[in-house]
Amino acid sequence: MIIAAIEAGGTKFVCGLLKADCTDYSAPTILARTSIPTTTPAETLAAVAAFFAAESRERGGVDIAGVGCFGPVDLHPASPGWGRITSTPKPGWSGADVAGTLRDALGVPLAFDTDVNAAAYGEFLWGAARGLKNFIYLTVGTGIGGGVFSGGDLVHGLSHPELGHVKLARLPEDAYEGGCPYHKDCLEGLASGPAIEKRWGRPGMELPPGHPAWELEARYLARAVAAYALVLSPERVLLGGGVGMRPGLAERVSVLAGEELAGYLPPLTDPERLSGYVRRPALGADAGLIGAAALALRLCDE
Amino acid sequence: MIIAAIEAGGTKFVCGLLKADCTDYSAPTILARTSIPTTTPAETLAAVAAFFAAESRERGGVDIAGVGCFGPVDLHPASPGWGRITSTPKPGWSGADVAGTLRDALGVPLAFDTDVNAAAYGEFLWGAARGLKNFIYLTVGTGIGGGVFSGGDLVHGLSHPELGHVKLARLPEDAYEGGCPYHKDCLEGLASGPAIEKRWGRPGMELPPGHPAWELEARYLARAVAAYALVLSPERVLLGGGVGMRPGLAERVSVLAGEELAGYLPPLTDPERLSGYVRRPALGADAGLIGAAALALRLCDE
């Protein structure tokens, strides 16, 4: 099975031709890849199509495609807007028909979901959430977002989860007002990479271990994890992204989430169960591409 | 199909013999009912068994049973503690084997879940959530709890959702410290019936419409609904319970949840979609019993 996998991001579209098997579900092999800057929808999507046209000629065609896309996107199968970006501050992309354009260009069945749902599904098939029926994939970087897996499948409800925009109780020692343009001091406004930089005057990568920024960051993330645990009862939380993957952060967030819950959620009152509750994802730098390929394999069941 | 339905509450066990059909899923008829005080597990469960023994003799036997139980309970099918209350301040009930005792006494297959999941499932089959794949049933009364339905089924994860214990940002005008013994100012600590009484010095039922208590209550509930919407993307939120069913409250919570989201969650930015997002459940006073019967009908598929 040859898969066209696309990680459609706000700054670049990472495209890959991958080989995987519908039946044994072993991790896919990347045969070819490229990265295309996100400029206008017409230009970017045409470049994506051209890459796959050239690559698939060389390798005897593509069978299925998967796209993990930046959002917000319309995921309602019955909606006339399915596969489009809904509204985004990114010039030209509001209403862009990402899924339809790529499906027509590639001429194969195409699975479409959010970038974070793609990453979550990749971790479910081949990563740090193998075999779990309920988990969350949270990414903390320039923004904060998450994919939610519940009852053995990705959550698609009214729209898609927006885990980064939950408004939490503030930590009293934190004077930073928050930087989310919609909600000011929601989780993303308080704990994303840009929030860290604005609060401390330096980007997170320049703040050493032991700097108070990291304990504050861990406490906000723990507060969010506690809320997710109470609402969704996930068996595990994967913490990805440039900020989220910082060594030691997941471990500290686990401990502090236990403190936030204050003995309330029985399995997590056991320190052994709590340890490892929040952990890093396993798929590393290729998580986006591999996640998009994972989405495509969902078409095998149809 | 004759169903033994049990709404197992902290103050009373409501038991009913109901008639329903596995295939046409029409709303069940209540043939007989009784209410048994919750004293000790041995005494209460024996009285429940005696009621069904007498009633089923008269009506030719019981086919299946369903129990919606106060919590927290162990719902892991593979756990040796399945069907037991885990830990509760209620004397004698920590570790009580509610499901096992009743299944053995009744001698029929028995479905067991939380009281709020039972109510949610009843609303899904016959009430205000018919046909929805993703919704929340929130009950606000002596405590605050909720059942969660995601991807077409009840959520059972690490344990069960505990929607009432989410810690939210405080409203600055509210000086009440909160009354939850675990978390002090979580949602339940701030917005349950006892919290209203402690804050205002009078029980909610004595506070007239227009009293500032109700706007504060609506704002806390709206903050919670916004958080649930961001995490779970439910298509609807049902607001039940003695406090939650107060006339006009659901409508006000809908409007304020839109304000909390501040234009962020696209379908709810449309005032028409927002109106009716939070609404009252439909099953009324018998919701607990009917929900327990709904749980029992889940056994038809097994």
Side-chain angles (χ1 to χ4, degrees):
Chain A
M1 190 71 89
I2 303 294
I3 304 169
I6 300 154
E7 181 190 4
T11 56
K12 61 182 194 280
F13 275 47
V14 180
C15 305
L17 211 63
L18 285 85
K19 194 179 157 138
D21 196 310
C22 264
T23 51
D24 77 354
Y25 272 33
S26 56
T29 317
I30 301 178
L31 306 174
R33 62 188 297 162
T34 192
S35 177
I36 292 162
T38 308
T39 57
T40 65
E43 190 175 50
T44 302
L45 298 176
V48 170
F51 165 75
F52 285 112
E55 285 297 328
S56 75
R57 257 196 306 277
E58 267 183 44
R59 290 165 208 271
V62 166
D63 299 303
I64 48 177
V67 182
C69 190
F70 70 101
V73 290
D74 185 340
L75 297 178
H76 269 284
S79 161
W82 176 84
R84 290 178 186 267
I85 310 247
T86 53
S87 66
T88 169
K90 214 174 165 46
W93 286 86
S94 287
D97 185 7
V98 176
T101 305
L102 291 174
R103 188 176 51 190
D104 292 349
L106 294 165
V108 296
L110 179 141
F112 182 80
D113 214 316
T114 60
D115 44 7
V116 282
N117 267 349
Y121 203 69
E123 294 290 334
F124 167 69
L125 288 187
W126 305 301
R130 248 180 271 206
L132 297 185
K133 291 201 156 182
N134 305 274
F135 71 94
I136 281 176
Y137 172 91
L138 187 72
T139 175
V140 182
T142 311
I144 300 184
V148 177
F149 204 80
S150 176
D153 205 358
L154 295 168
V155 167
H156 297 117
L158 185 67
S159 62
H160 47 79
E162 288 282 3
L163 298 178
H165 291 272
V166 172
K167 191 180 176 77
L168 300 167
R170 298 287 304 257
L171 292 168
E173 68 270 32
D174 179 22
Y176 175 57
E177 60 171 10
C180 171
Y182 293 90
H183 313 111
K184 209 151 142 177
D185 61 354
C186 63
L187 177 65
E188 181 171 292
L190 292 172
S192 64
I196 294 173
E197 182 166 352
K198 276 187 205 129
R199 182 186 288 111
W200 302 102
R202 278 190 293 165
M205 48 192 299
E206 291 179 15
L207 299 171
H211 189 283
W214 299 117
E215 182 66 6
L216 193 77
E217 180 72 11
R219 288 187 63 196
Y220 276 126
L221 293 176
R223 197 154 273 192
V225 166
Y228 305 151
L230 290 163
V231 175
L232 270 171
S233 218
E235 297 157 75
R236 189 172 294 165
V237 176
L238 303 183
L239 187 57
V243 174
M245 302 268 284
R246 196 179 161 89
L249 187 60
E251 292 78 357
R252 186 68 187 144
V253 173
S254 285
V255 171
L256 293 174
E259 289 182 12
E260 288 286 329
L261 291 166
Y264 197 70
L265 220 57
L268 296 181
T269 48
D270 174 1
E272 211 169 310
R273 289 295 300 275
L274 185 64
S275 146
Y277 185 60
V278 181
R279 62 177 78 177
R280 298 210 281 175
L283 295 181
D286 291 326
L289 258 195
I290 292 179
L295 286 182
L297 287 177
R298 289 165 68 86
L299 298 166
C300 290
D301 301 332
E302 287 178 5
Chain B
M1 190 72 88
I2 302 295
I3 304 169
I6 300 153
E7 181 190 2
T11 55
K12 62 181 193 280
F13 275 47
V14 181
C15 305
L17 211 63
L18 285 83
K19 194 181 156 134
D21 196 309
C22 265
T23 52
D24 77 354
Y25 272 33
S26 56
T29 316
I30 301 176
L31 306 173
R33 62 187 298 162
T34 191
S35 176
I36 292 161
T38 308
T39 57
T40 65
E43 190 175 50
T44 302
L45 298 176
V48 170
F51 165 75
F52 284 112
E55 284 297 328
S56 74
R57 256 196 308 277
E58 267 184 44
R59 291 165 208 271
V62 166
D63 300 302
I64 48 177
V67 182
C69 190
F70 71 100
V73 289
D74 186 339
L75 297 178
H76 268 285
S79 161
W82 176 84
R84 291 177 185 267
I85 310 246
T86 52
S87 66
T88 169
K90 211 170 168 50
W93 286 86
S94 287
D97 184 6
V98 176
T101 306
L102 291 173
R103 187 177 51 189
D104 292 350
L106 294 164
V108 296
L110 179 141
F112 182 80
D113 213 316
T114 60
D115 43 7
V116 281
N117 268 348
Y121 203 69
E123 294 290 334
F124 167 69
L125 288 187
W126 305 301
R130 249 180 270 205
L132 297 186
K133 291 202 155 182
N134 305 274
F135 71 94
I136 281 176
Y137 172 91
L138 188 71
T139 175
V140 182
T142 311
I144 299 184
V148 177
F149 203 80
S150 175
D153 204 359
L154 295 168
V155 167
H156 297 115
L158 185 68
S159 62
H160 47 79
E162 287 283 2
L163 298 178
H165 290 273
V166 172
K167 189 179 177 79
L168 301 167
R170 299 285 305 257
L171 292 167
E173 68 271 31
D174 180 22
Y176 175 57
E177 58 171 11
C180 171
Y182 292 89
H183 313 112
K184 211 151 142 177
D185 61 355
C186 63
L187 177 66
E188 180 171 293
L190 292 171
S192 64
I196 295 172
E197 182 165 353
K198 276 188 205 129
R199 182 186 288 112
W200 302 101
R202 278 190 294 164
M205 48 192 301
E206 291 179 15
L207 299 171
H211 189 284
W214 299 118
E215 183 67 6
L216 193 77
E217 180 72 9
R219 288 189 62 196
Y220 276 126
L221 293 176
R223 197 153 273 194
V225 165
Y228 305 151
L230 290 163
V231 175
L232 270 170
S233 218
E235 298 157 76
R236 191 172 294 166
V237 176
L238 304 182
L239 187 57
V243 174
M245 302 267 286
R246 195 178 162 90
L249 187 60
E251 292 78 356
R252 186 68 187 143
V253 174
S254 285
V255 171
L256 293 175
E259 289 182 11
E260 288 285 332
L261 291 166
Y264 197 72
L265 221 56
L268 297 181
T269 49
D270 173 2
E272 211 167 310
R273 289 295 298 275
L274 185 63
S275 145
Y277 185 60
V278 181
R279 62 177 77 178
R280 299 211 283 175
L283 296 180
D286 291 325
L289 258 195
I290 292 178
L295 286 183
L297 286 178
R298 290 165 66 85
L299 298 167
C300 290
D301 300 332
E302 288 178 6

